[in-house]
Structure formats: C-alpha cells, structure tokens
RNA sequence: UCCCCGGUGGCUCAAUGGUAGAGCGGGUGGCUGUUAACCACUAGGUUGGGGGUUCGAGUCCCUCCCGGGGAGCCA
C-alpha cells in the first residue's frame, strides 16, 4: 500500500494504490486510467495483450469514481501528468460506481453546491481544503510558539455578544440559548486567568447576507491578551497573517498552482503591513466621516495596497459596546480592522477593551443590553481589571484571499448560507 | 428585506412570436501514448408551477416558486 504523493520513492518497484477512478482515456489497444487517492492523481497505463481481454475491457469501461485497488510498477515518464505513472499489473474493483454526475466539464454553482459531498473530490476543492488545513495548523503553531493557551469558548451561550438581531436561537431545556457569534467575552475572562489565550472554532450569525464574504457558520480564531494595548495586538495580528501566508507558500505550492494563484503577490506579504487611521481611510475613498465602510469602499481601500492594511480608530458608534475609547478623542474607539489586498477586504477586527467598570456599565445601558446577562463580564472589571486587547480573524475570508477564490463558500467543506443548509 | 439577472435533455448553453438544437456525459463501434483525448453512429424534452394575450408562446404580460449577483450588516 502506497500513497500517490509518495510514488517517487518507489521508482521501479511494484506498488499497490487504493483509490478511485478519476478519469479514463483509451486509444484502441491502450487504456489510461487516472486514479486519485486523496493525496494525488496518477496515470495507470494498461496495454492490451499484457492482460486478459476481460481485464482490458473492464479497465476500458469502468465507471468514473469506482473504488479500485490497483497494483502496478512505478516509473518516471515525462508524458504522465505528475511525472510518474504506473504500468498496470492487477485491479480489484471494490465497488462499481453509478453514473457520476460531476464531469470534468463546467458546472453551475447551484449544481455543485447541491453535490458538495461529491464536489469535494474534484481538484480545485481538494487544493482549497489542503490550504485551509495548512492555515489552521499555522494559526495553532503561531500562538503555541508565543506561549498562548488554547481555551475554547462555549458555542451555546445565554445571550448576545454583539448585536442581538443576528443570533440563532435554540431551545435549551426550559429556556432558550443562542449559538455563539463570538468567543471574545469568554476570552477576556480567559486572559485574566492565563495571560494569553485564544479560541478557535465556529461562530454563527443569522445575518441575511447574500455576499461572497458571508456564511452563517464560519470559523474564527480569537486571541486575547492581558496587559496588552491596541498597538500590541496590531503587531500580533501582523505576525499571525505573515506566518499563515508563509506556511501556505512553503507547504502548498502544488495546490496554489492548481488554483492558478499568483504567488508573486503572496510573497510580498511581509511585516510591517502599514496602518492608516479611519479618518485617513475615509478621505481616501471619498466618503463622509462617521459611517462604516460599505463593501464597495472596503474593496476600493483593499485594492490600494499591496499588503494587508490596518485601519485604526473607527467612530465608537459603529463598533461594539466593549471597545475602549481613545482617551484623547472620545469619538473614536481603540480598535483596528485588517483589510486583505486584492479586493478581499476585512479579515480581522479587533481592539482594546473597556477595562473601567463604570464606563462599561454605562455602555451596556447605552446599547440597551440586558444587564443581568453581563454581570459575570462586569466581574472581570471588579476583580483585578487591567488593560487588555484582542482580535478575531475570519478563517474562510483568509483562506479565500490566500487561495484567490472569489467566494468564501468554497473555503469551508460544507458551507452554510442564508439559503443553503444541505448537504 | 430591497434592487438586478436567470430557470430549455443528466450537465453547460443555443433557438426574430412560426419544425426545440449543439457540445459534454450515457450507449454502440473505431483507433497502441492519451493529457478535459479524438472520430462515427445512437438514445435522451410536458422549455420551473399556475394563469393570460395570440391563428400560433421557450420567447410577450401577470403571479408564485427556485437559483445567481449585488446592497445593508459583518469575520
């Protein structure tokens, strides 16, 4: 048993691969079987005369995606896609597939999404999923190397973290619970216990968004650091993104090639990224001070820079209640967003948290939030409060940018959107 | 929720208001090195549902359903 990605180690030897029929071509007395096994695709050459008529006929007609165990001799050949191929010795058909609906030709997105469970087997989704996996590992390695403790937040929560209108409600015995839209408040508790913590998992938002940047279930990583300022976590965010991109460039060159990603642009992603204030950004895109950037403005901003750009100091009205305000200018928050280049837009949002009990109580009232649900959170200001800051990075948006795919739905195995919860 | 676009064989798409077609996929046959192989033949359709205009509707009108793109909101 050998994986296709390791074939080069077995040149001249007889090997057995277990996989599926990806494609097949024949030309009279020779059949080419393309077999995939999850690690790669290899071409198997079956010559008439070397095998029985029955076996030759079987190879010539076996349906796509049938599961097969093939034995053959590995050798190098310039003509083979991938550089190595197998000269056929034996085949065991584990299962004959029915007519496979997904061809190598074009399909519409609806057709593919309806068959996401099968579409995952295709070249492009495979490449994206491998890169997603690399990103996840890079994120964990990065925080681990910095001495962070992974402290996962609950997914069932008693109340809103941010706005109450975007929560999925679920029955919880005799009461109601909500699916978490962010682990941040819990990370604030965590950093007061462990100093530097992060959580990594799914978040849920019942936003009725229909855009290429939105999913109702998405993954985010949320670090939170005690005694950190806005500047500290901005540096942390830059380091994280630089590390993720470098990891993908290092481990996934083949996948980036399959995706036809221009790696020259990714190779430029080095610290420092650079930052501008909200006010400067507003002037750059020619809009009025006070509002949040719409998608067109965000895309415009994101296209102005080769590297991700950090935008700081938004008006506090358009940010969450827990954001600390700038002591020099009460109108603006001590926050930042990181916008990815090439039009991909916001991948990170974060900032310094309000650490003063009285001010936080005031904000909770201002935002009309139910005080009793936040008593535990206010405790963090009663018992040893200190400056602290953190951020959240959206995994799917980051993967979409790195892969150069247009829509975030292609960067998660089974996307959940406003009008799709199947398969 | 709002705006725009679309729904035709299994798939991707054609078709001035006038005989519903092509490529791919399926089937059959051919071809000893194919690269989304190619060539020939062949099967396959209540044009999303309902209503209307018309001698005649895939095409025009109304309505509903479904999908796509975008907005708002956000990671």
């Amino acid at each position: 048993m050998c994986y296709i990605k390791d074939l080069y180690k077995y040149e001249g030897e007889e090997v057995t691969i277990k996989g599926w029929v990806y494609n097949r071509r024949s030309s009279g007395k020779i059949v080419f079987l393309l077999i995939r096994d999850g690690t790669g695709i290899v071409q198997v050459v079956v010559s008439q005369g070397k095998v029985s008529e029955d076996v030759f006929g079987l190879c010539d007609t076996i349906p796509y995606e049938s599961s097969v165990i093939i034995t053959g001799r590995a050798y190098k050949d310039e003509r083979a896609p991938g550089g190595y191929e197998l000269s056929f010795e034996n085949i065991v058909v584990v299962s004959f597939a029915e007519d496979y609906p997904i061809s190598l030709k074009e399909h519409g997105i609806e057709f593919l999404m309806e068959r996401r469970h099968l579409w995952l087997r295709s070249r492009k989704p495979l490449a994206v999923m491998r890169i997603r996996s690399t990103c996840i590992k890079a994120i964990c390695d990065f925080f681990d190397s910095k001495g962070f403790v992974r402290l996962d937040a609950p997914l069932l929560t008693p109340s809103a973290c941010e706005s109450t209108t975007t929560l999925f409600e679920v029955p919880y015995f005799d009461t109601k619970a909500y699916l978490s839209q962010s682990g941040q408040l819990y990370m604030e508790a965590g950093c007061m216990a462990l100093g530097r913590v992060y959580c990594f998992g799914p978040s849920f938002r019942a936003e009725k968004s229909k855009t290429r940047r939105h999913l109702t279930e998405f993954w985010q990583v949320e670090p939170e650091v005690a005694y950190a300022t806005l500047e500290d976590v901005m540096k942390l965010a830059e380091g994280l993104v630089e590390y993720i991109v470098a990891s993908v460039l290092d481990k996934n060159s083949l996948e980036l090639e399959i995706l036809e990603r221009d790696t020259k642009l990714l190779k430029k992603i080095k610290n420092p990224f650079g930052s501008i204030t909200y006010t400067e950004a507003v002037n750059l895109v020619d809009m009025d001070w006070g509002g949040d950037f719409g998608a067109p403005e965000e895309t415009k901003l994101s296209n102005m820079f080769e590297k991700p750009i950090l935008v700081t100091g938004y008006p506090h009205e358009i940010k969450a209640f827990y954001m600390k305000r700038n002591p020099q200018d009460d109108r603006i928050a001590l926050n930042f967003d990181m916008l990815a280049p090439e039009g991909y837009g916001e991948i990170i949002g974060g900032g310094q948290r309000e650490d003063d009990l009285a001010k936080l109580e005031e904000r909770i009232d201002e935002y009309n939030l139910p005080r009793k649900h936040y008593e535990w959170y206010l405790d963090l200001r009663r018992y040893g409060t200190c400056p602290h800051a953190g951020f959240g990075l959206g995994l799917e948006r980051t993967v979409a940018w790195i892969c150069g795919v247009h829509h975030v739905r292609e960067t998660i195995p089974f996307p959940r959107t406003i009008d799709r919860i199947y398969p």
Side-chain angles (χ1 to χ4, degrees):
Chain A
M1 169 73 189
C2 146
Y3 285 108
I4 289 168
K5 73 172 166 60
D6 298 326
L7 265 185
Y8 68 95
K9 296 178 188 167
Y10 299 89
E11 197 171 342
E13 293 175 40
E14 188 171 284
V15 296
T16 297
I17 55 170
K18 299 179 176 180
W20 297 264
V21 178
Y22 184 73
N23 195 9
R24 138 175 76 65
R25 294 181 277 270
S26 72
S27 174
K29 304 207 167 45
I30 190 165
V31 172
F32 301 94
L33 287 175
L34 283 124
I35 306 296
R36 62 167 191 87
D37 74 346
T39 72
I41 295 174
V42 68
Q43 174 161 284
V44 178
V45 183
V46 191
S47 303
Q48 196 179 38
K50 286 191 178 178
V51 296
S52 73
E53 278 304 306
D54 285 353
V55 170
F56 187 81
L58 170 69
C59 292
D60 198 18
T61 56
I62 189 163
Y64 295 153
E65 287 302 320
S66 294
S67 37
V68 291
I69 299 172
I70 287 182
T71 304
R73 199 164 291 279
Y75 61 95
K76 207 171 186 171
D77 193 305
E78 290 280 313
R79 294 167 294 184
Y84 287 84
E85 59 185 25
L86 284 187
S87 73
F88 179 89
E89 295 288 342
N90 190 41
I91 184 169
V92 175
V93 179
V94 178
S95 171
F96 285 97
E98 295 179 23
D99 278 352
Y100 191 62
I102 298 178
S103 72
L104 300 177
K105 302 280 180 178
E106 279 181 300
H107 293 288
I109 190 69
E110 183 192 359
F111 181 83
L112 292 170
M113 277 300 167
E114 196 69 16
R115 293 159 185 78
R116 181 61 170 171
H117 50 295
L118 301 177
W119 186 28
L120 278 175
R121 303 177 184 192
S122 299
R123 258 192 172 102
K124 193 174 165 185
L126 283 174
V128 175
M129 288 307 127
R130 287 206 187 93
I131 289 172
R132 178 186 170 101
S133 180
T134 299
C135 291
I136 290 169
K137 182 173 178 344
I139 287 165
C140 296
D141 287 350
F142 177 82
F143 286 118
D144 188 49
S145 74
K146 299 265 180 204
F148 278 68
V149 174
R150 178 164 173 165
L151 187 78
D152 287 311
L155 297 185
L156 287 168
T157 62
S159 65
C161 166
E162 292 175 9
S163 96
T164 48
T165 55
T166 62
L167 288 164
F168 283 109
E169 192 180 295
V170 290
Y172 195 76
F173 303 107
D174 296 331
T175 179
K176 289 183 281 190
Y178 304 92
L179 296 182
S180 173
Q181 53 185 191
S182 164
Q184 190 214 302
L185 303 189
Y186 294 98
M187 290 306 100
E188 290 189 52
C191 80
M192 297 302 170
L194 290 148
R196 284 166 295 177
V197 295
Y198 73 101
C199 63
F200 194 4
S203 290
F204 305 88
R205 299 209 181 154
E207 288 159 0
K208 298 199 169 177
S209 303
K210 283 182 64 175
T211 81
R212 70 190 187 96
R213 292 172 182 166
H214 287 87
L215 297 167
T216 54
E217 179 180 321
F218 68 99
W219 280 58
Q220 58 178 343
V221 56
E222 295 173 281
E224 193 73 27
V225 184
Y227 290 103
T229 62
L230 172 63
E231 289 71 28
D232 293 333
V233 291
M234 284 170 66
K235 284 202 188 78
L236 185 68
E238 285 182 316
L240 173 65
V241 171
E242 180 185 66
Y243 187 77
I244 296 171
V245 172
S247 294
V248 172
L249 283 170
D250 180 43
K251 295 175 184 164
N252 297 109
S253 55
L254 199 66
E255 284 75 22
L256 291 168
E257 197 179 316
I258 288 168
L259 296 170
E260 295 173 8
R261 183 66 167 101
D262 185 351
T263 53
K264 283 199 295 290
L265 296 170
L266 292 179
K267 284 175 183 153
K268 290 178 182 167
I269 310 305
K270 299 279 185 197
N271 285 331
F273 292 168
S275 72
I276 56 173
T277 65
Y278 167 85
T279 305
E280 288 166 338
V282 159
N283 291 333
L284 279 175
V285 297
D286 196 26
M287 59 177 258
D288 293 335
W289 199 95
D292 206 350
F293 304 110
E297 290 87 17
E298 201 179 286
T299 304
K300 198 172 161 187
L301 262 178
S302 139
N303 274 322
M304 286 176 175
F305 303 90
E306 280 194 328
K307 297 197 270 190
I309 182 75
L310 289 83
V311 184
T312 65
Y314 285 58
H316 68 76
E317 287 92 346
I318 57 173
K319 287 292 159 188
F321 75 94
Y322 50 73
M323 287 291 183
K324 190 175 178 66
R325 294 183 192 173
N326 189 323
Q328 269 84 55
D329 184 349
D330 193 53
R331 296 174 308 153
I332 64 175
L334 286 177
N335 82 299
F336 79 101
D337 278 2
M338 186 190 287
L339 309 184
E342 299 174 69
Y344 281 91
E346 186 180 354
I347 54 171
I348 289 180
Q352 197 167 328
R353 322 305 185 187
E354 183 52 73
D355 47 49
D356 182 88
L357 177 63
K359 283 182 182 161
L360 196 54
E361 286 175 325
E362 205 177 293
R363 302 288 150 68
I364 287 175
D365 292 344
E366 257 176 52
Y367 281 75
N368 284 319
L369 298 169
R371 181 73 165 267
K372 63 172 180 173
H373 285 146
Y374 292 90
E375 282 304 326
W376 70 268
Y377 185 64
L378 292 168
D379 271 354
L380 303 174
R381 277 69 181 169
R382 294 187 182 109
Y383 304 106
T385 189
C386 69
H388 60 291
F391 62 83
L393 172 138
L395 179 66
E396 286 76 18
R397 289 184 181 180
T398 304
V399 175
W401 161 52
I402 293 174
C403 289
V405 302
H406 185 253
H407 200 300
V408 290
R409 69 184 161 209
E410 290 183 43
T411 67
I412 188 166
F414 295 95
R416 298 290 175 249
T417 55
I418 180 171
D419 41 28
R420 177 166 298 284
I421 190 164
Y422 177 91

